[in-house]
Protein backbone atom coordinates (compact mmCIF):
# COMPACT_ATOMS: atom_id res chain seq x y z
CA UNK A 1 0.00 0.00 0.00
CA UNK A 2 2.83 2.38 0.87
CA UNK A 3 4.40 1.66 -2.54
CA UNK A 4 1.10 2.46 -4.27
CA UNK A 5 0.79 5.80 -2.45
CA UNK A 6 4.41 6.67 -3.27
CA UNK A 7 3.82 5.91 -6.95
CA UNK A 8 0.64 8.01 -6.99
CA UNK A 9 2.46 10.94 -5.41
CA UNK A 10 5.29 10.59 -7.91
CA UNK A 11 2.84 10.50 -10.82
CA UNK A 12 1.00 13.56 -9.48
CA UNK A 13 4.30 15.45 -9.06
CA UNK A 14 5.47 14.56 -12.56
CA UNK A 15 2.16 15.69 -14.05
CA UNK A 16 2.38 18.98 -12.17
CA UNK A 17 5.92 19.61 -13.43
CA UNK A 18 4.96 18.68 -16.99
CA UNK A 19 1.94 21.00 -16.88
CA UNK A 20 4.07 23.91 -15.71
CA UNK A 21 6.32 23.52 -18.75
CA UNK A 22 3.57 23.31 -21.35
CA UNK A 23 4.62 24.69 -24.69
CA UNK A 24 3.48 28.24 -25.39
CA UNK A 25 1.59 27.15 -28.52
CA UNK A 26 -0.59 24.16 -29.23
CA UNK A 27 0.36 21.67 -31.92
CA UNK A 28 -2.50 22.93 -34.10
CA UNK A 29 -1.42 26.54 -33.63
CA UNK A 30 2.21 25.65 -34.43
CA UNK A 31 1.08 23.91 -37.64
CA UNK A 32 -1.05 26.90 -38.66
CA UNK A 33 1.72 29.41 -37.94
CA UNK A 34 4.26 27.28 -39.78
CA UNK A 35 1.90 27.21 -42.76
CA UNK A 36 1.53 31.00 -42.47
CA UNK A 37 5.32 31.38 -42.71
CA UNK A 38 5.33 29.11 -45.77
CA UNK A 39 2.60 31.21 -47.38
CA UNK A 40 4.48 34.43 -46.63
CA UNK A 41 7.57 32.95 -48.29
CA UNK A 42 5.43 32.11 -51.32
CA UNK A 43 4.06 35.66 -51.26
CA UNK A 44 7.59 37.06 -51.37
CA UNK A 45 8.24 34.96 -54.48
CA UNK A 46 5.06 36.35 -56.08
CA UNK A 47 6.17 39.89 -55.23
CA UNK A 48 9.47 39.24 -57.03
CA UNK A 49 7.57 37.92 -60.05
CA UNK A 50 5.23 40.93 -60.11
CA UNK A 51 8.14 43.35 -59.81
CA UNK A 52 9.94 41.63 -62.67
CA UNK A 53 6.82 42.00 -64.86
CA UNK A 54 5.97 45.60 -63.98
CA UNK A 55 5.72 48.35 -66.53
CA UNK A 56 8.65 50.74 -66.50
CA UNK A 57 6.54 53.74 -67.45
CA UNK A 58 3.67 53.34 -64.99
CA UNK A 59 2.42 56.58 -63.46
CA UNK A 60 1.90 55.10 -59.97
CA UNK A 61 4.46 52.35 -59.37
CA UNK A 62 4.10 49.98 -56.48
CA UNK A 63 6.77 50.29 -53.80
CA UNK A 64 7.94 46.68 -53.90
CA UNK A 65 10.76 47.30 -51.43
CA UNK A 66 8.32 48.53 -48.77
CA UNK A 67 5.92 45.68 -49.48
CA UNK A 68 8.74 43.12 -49.06
CA UNK A 69 9.85 44.86 -45.88
CA UNK A 70 6.37 44.68 -44.30
CA UNK A 71 5.91 41.01 -45.26
CA UNK A 72 9.36 40.30 -43.81
CA UNK A 73 8.46 41.99 -40.52
CA UNK A 74 5.36 39.84 -40.17
CA UNK A 75 7.26 36.67 -41.07
CA UNK A 76 10.09 37.44 -38.65
CA UNK A 77 7.65 38.20 -35.82
CA UNK A 78 5.82 34.89 -36.25
CA UNK A 79 9.13 33.01 -36.49
CA UNK A 80 10.42 34.63 -33.30
CA UNK A 81 7.21 33.73 -31.49
CA UNK A 82 7.50 30.10 -32.52
CA UNK A 83 11.15 29.96 -31.51
CA UNK A 84 10.87 31.68 -28.14
CA UNK A 85 7.96 33.67 -26.75
CA UNK A 86 8.68 36.88 -24.92
CA UNK A 87 6.48 37.89 -22.00
CA UNK A 88 7.86 41.39 -21.55
CA UNK A 89 6.71 44.09 -23.96
CA UNK A 90 9.07 44.94 -26.75
CA UNK A 91 9.18 47.57 -29.43
CA UNK A 92 7.80 46.28 -32.68
CA UNK A 93 8.44 48.20 -35.89
CA UNK A 94 5.30 49.59 -37.47
CA UNK A 95 4.14 48.36 -40.84
CA UNK A 96 4.07 51.07 -43.46
CA UNK A 97 1.01 49.85 -45.33
CA UNK A 98 1.49 52.43 -48.09
CA UNK A 99 2.86 50.82 -51.25
CA UNK A 100 2.29 53.48 -53.91
CA UNK A 101 5.19 55.81 -54.51
CA UNK A 102 4.17 59.30 -53.55
Amino acid sequence: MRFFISMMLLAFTLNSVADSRVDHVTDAERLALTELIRQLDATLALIEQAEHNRSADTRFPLDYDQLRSDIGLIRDGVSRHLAKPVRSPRRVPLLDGEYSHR
Side-chain angles (χ1 to χ4, degrees), residues 73-89:
L73 285 172
I74 295 168
R75 186 197 185 288
D76 292 347
V78 173
S79 293
R80 276 192 311 273
H81 177 72
L82 286 173
K84 181 182 175 192
V86 178
R87 286 185 160 235
S88 60

Side-chain angles (χ1 to χ4, degrees), residues 4-85:
F4 177 74
I5 293 173
S6 296
M7 292 307 290
M8 291 300 290
L9 285 173
L10 178 63
F12 178 77
T13 303
L14 290 176
N15 280 339
S16 296
V17 170
D19 288 344
S20 68
R21 288 186 274 151
V22 170
D23 199 3
H24 64 283
V25 294
T26 65
D27 289 340
E29 182 183 18
R30 181 175 300 283
L31 284 173
L33 292 175
T34 301
E35 176 62 17
L36 174 63
I37 290 170
R38 193 185 71 70
Q39 292 290 330
L40 290 171
D41 289 341
T43 300
L44 289 171
L46 288 171
I47 291 168
E48 293 296 327
Q49 182 182 355
E51 184 176 30
H52 178 74
N53 293 317
R54 71 179 171 183
S55 172
D57 60 347
T58 185
R59 186 171 173 193
F60 303 104
L62 188 70
D63 188 348
Y64 287 99
D65 291 333
Q66 186 60 52
L67 180 58
R68 268 191 297 277
S69 176
D70 283 355
I71 298 289
L73 285 172
I74 295 168
R75 186 197 185 288
D76 292 347
V78 173
S79 293
R80 276 192 311 273
H81 177 72
L82 286 173
K84 181 182 175 192

